[in-house]
Amino acid sequence: MSLKRRSSRIGPEEDVSFNSPNGSSFEVNKVPNKINTSSRETITTSTLEKYIPPWSEPYIIGVAGYSGSGKTSVSQKIIHELNQPWTVLLSFDNYYKPLTKEESAKAFNNEYDFDTPQSLDLDILVEHLNALKRGEKVDIPIYSFAAHNRTDKVETIYGANVIIIEGIYALYDERLLNMMDLKVFVDTDLDVCLARRLTRDILYRGRDLSGCLKQWELFVKPNLVRYVKPTMMNADLVIPRGSLNEIGINLMIQHVQKKLALKSAIHLQRLHQLGKQYGLDTSHVTTLPNTNYLKGLHSQLLSLETERSDFIFHFDKMGILLLEMGLNKLGPRNYSEKQVITPQGYHAKGVGFEQELIAVSIIRSGDCFMNAIKKTLNDVPIGKLLIQSDTSTGEPQLHCDSLPSYDRSMNQQIFLFDSQIISGAQLIMAIQVLIDHNFHQENITIITYLSTEIGLKRITNVFPNLNQVIIGKLSNGECQHNEEGLKDTDWNFRNRFIDSLYFGTG
Amino acid sequence: MSGKFVERKNNAGYSKPDGPKREAILDLAKYQDQQVRVEFAGGRVVTGILKGYDQLMNLVLEEVKEYIRDPEDDTELTDRTRDLGLVVFGDNVILLPQTNQLIGLYSIIRDKSTKRGDFVFYSDRIIRLLVEEGLNLLPVEECTIQCHGGNEYKGSKFLGKICGVSIIRAGESMEMGLRDCCRSVRIGKILIQRDEKTATPKLFYEKLPEDISDRYVFLLDPMLATGGSAMMAVEVLLSRGVKMDRIFFLNLLAAPEGIKAFNDKYPDVKIITGGIDEKLDENKYIVPGLGDFGDRYYCI
């Protein structure tokens, strides 16, 4: 499975508290109505706290315009300027209906009308958008203009912070219009459009001049005038001259950026609210016992005087202990009775393992456990998630994922590694990603070394059915979890120092 | 140090009855997985969840809390407790918690069809657990640690030094596990082989650290069958001035006969094992056992 890259932007890995960007209580009153109502619904319909991942409320921009007006350039410019991980461009080009044999023959003679709304599979597009909002994986069909048909290939996308829907009929369908937060119409002179269209179709889509002109005269232009032009009335914003209109585009992008900042602030504030409402339920939480050996190990790991080579050595030991504890906490259905024959020919009663183990590490903090994983489970598949916190706000952002696939027929137990739980935001997002990839909450075990009470509370309140959360040391928040007096506010529990020390990046 | 976690079983109170039939007076089955309170002959009192027992009144307790006694008067209990985690109370035998996971690992290494790579990998995993269990028994002293952010941690550090002593050849397979937990540990070696004429073990070679008498010794031999060679190794250690209660004998699998022989002769040596099997067969192999550990580990 390839590592899907979401964005070129890699921020530093600080994961501290949530600071709202201005340090003030952010403009929550100006939240768009849509978001307000949906959050109210979730609170009333569910007694438990619920995490609303950013991808369940994507910011949707529709970009419509005549064929060749520069919709794609404008969309790409938006993507480039926004610089957000998880910006998805959905092009109407991918949603042409597959043609029947007759239609196909017509198409090759340039006699098929591709430019009516009927030639597009808008139902699927609406369905896909809804699925993305639900956090499901969506297979986007890939259309071949040379073959006039859908190819076997699909592009899989999952979740999105920002979705740009681009196509001549982007502002046509009522259902799509209702979902959009911003509707843009790119208005370019039809002569310019024709010139661009000819260049594109002949140079890049393998058509000939006469065919293209025939299509333009017969179908494209009449449809543009009849169907597309009226949709300009649905737009919030019309951009004349397409991508040449830099001021217009920049104004629009500024508006979008403002809206997105507000969205992050709401996301952060919700994360912040989590864990405030309920107490800490420790029925699925295991902290390592405070034995002499472990006390000695904690002392080595927390001490200022420990050299880096020793720190790595001791952390590997701690990692193995945590993982062994996690394995011990797998429920009885992971085991079956088994009889083996020893080399001397005796029968020995024992148990067999009935699960496929999967390790998932959150880059980079979880990577400190790699040695422990290799020493304990030699052939386990290892998935990775890159979740970074935005430097200025502390908002967690998912950048890429590479996960083993879910297999319904197998009992897959997932171990999710992160060396520290500070705010809990990273892990909440990571668990949500796993659940979105069909893994069951009951099969997820979290392995972590240091955890704050508030972070743990957030996680267990949002995901009450996790198999287990294994913690090396839990700090004291409202309750007394450790007799040594380690507190949530202590430096060790508020800073990601473990991976810095482990990987030597200071 | 002795008996810090491991209590000698008492013969007073509830314990094994006299007579040929070794049956427990107490039926502990109904207390399985329940909170129990145990009073020891020496006056210690602990509570914990009963996870396992045998007819010899060896107990496996989880989440053990010991009531701390009044320092002035040993017989007075205070309200203060300390956590001991999972503890086996018995004849100085410490059995690793018999979790499904551990039993699963044993099923792999017992299986004759297991390939050598897996045998080595899973044995090493068990050996690590044994070593860590042993390290947990070492005495510590409280100390205050300066943490990175300036706050303090009331931690502890180990008192005393340790060394490993492996019985050649199979015992050497456990050195890696020890090294994984204590990087620069000193390791001595003892070669003991069976004298074919007398069928008794005979010492051929020993190389031990000079200051071994000051150290806690982890004696490494994967199998405790009759205990012949291990007992001879203990004899060597004692002759070098090692104190008996500072010897920890680590093995993966033990036979009851071997444990008994060991306990009778060296009551203060602690045996840390991952599994106790049924018995020995007529060839003195452990039943069901796992074959010849050295052969399987070193592929002969």
Side-chain angles (χ1 to χ4, degrees), chain A residues 489-503:
Chain A
T489 48
D490 284 350
W491 188 90
N492 299 78
F493 287 89
R494 295 202 65 75
N495 290 281
R496 290 211 172 265
F497 73 104
I498 293 178
D499 53 348
S500 298
L501 270 176
Y502 195 93
F503 294 111

Side-chain angles (χ1 to χ4, degrees), chain A residues 435-487:
Chain A
I435 291 173
D436 285 347
H437 282 71
N438 292 327
F439 294 107
H440 298 296
Q441 200 185 130
E442 302 80 54
N443 294 347
I444 300 175
T445 303
I446 312 283
I447 308 257
T448 191
Y449 173 46
L450 296 179
S451 170
T452 59
E453 186 194 271
I454 180 74
L456 180 66
K457 235 161 136 182
R458 287 198 179 108
I459 294 167
T460 51
N461 281 335
V462 178
F463 303 107
N465 299 321
L466 291 170
N467 178 47
Q468 251 337 289
V469 184
I470 310 286
I471 296 171
K473 202 90 209 157
L474 184 59
S475 60
N476 295 337
E478 286 161 10
C479 310
Q480 194 79 7
H481 300 289
N482 65 75
E483 60 203 42
E484 300 94 324
L486 294 166
K487 294 188 293 291

Side-chain angles (χ1 to χ4, degrees), chain A residues 289-293 295-296 298-299 302-304 309-310 313 317 320-321 324 327-328 330 335 340-344 346-348 350-351 353 374-378 473 483-484 486 490-492 497 501, chain B residues 4-5 99-101 103-105 107-108 110-112 118 121-122 125 128-129 132 135-136 140 142 145-149 151 153-156 158 179-183 281 285 287-291 296:
Chain A
N290 214 8
T291 59
N292 284 344
Y293 177 61
K295 255 187 171 167
H298 292 312
S299 304
L302 295 175
S303 170
L304 193 60
S309 61
D310 290 324
F313 177 73
K317 287 200 280 185
I320 291 175
L321 283 169
E324 289 281 0
L327 290 166
N328 279 337
L330 291 178
Y335 302 97
V340 294
I341 300 174
T342 68
Q344 261 94 37
Y346 293 112
H347 291 266
V351 297
F353 299 122
K374 290 212 175 96
K375 282 201 164 160
T376 314
L377 310 162
N378 49 355
K473 202 90 209 157
E483 60 203 42
E484 300 94 324
L486 294 166
D490 284 350
W491 188 90
N492 299 78
F497 73 104
L501 270 176
Chain B
K4 186 154 192 191
F5 292 96
T99 59
N100 278 332
Q101 188 64 221
I103 296 169
L105 296 183
S107 298
I108 294 172
R110 284 180 199 276
D111 192 339
K112 69 173 177 186
D118 282 341
F121 183 84
Y122 291 106
R125 227 178 110 184
R128 256 194 103 92
L129 294 173
E132 265 154 2
L135 291 172
N136 200 18
V140 291
E142 300 235 323
I145 303 288
Q146 284 297 326
C147 301
H148 288 275
N151 50 307
Y153 170 72
K154 277 182 235 127
S156 61
F158 292 107
R179 279 240 186 278
D180 273 351
C181 293
C182 318
R183 251 189 305 190
D281 68 6
Y285 278 118
V287 179
L290 49 74
R296 295 190 75 189

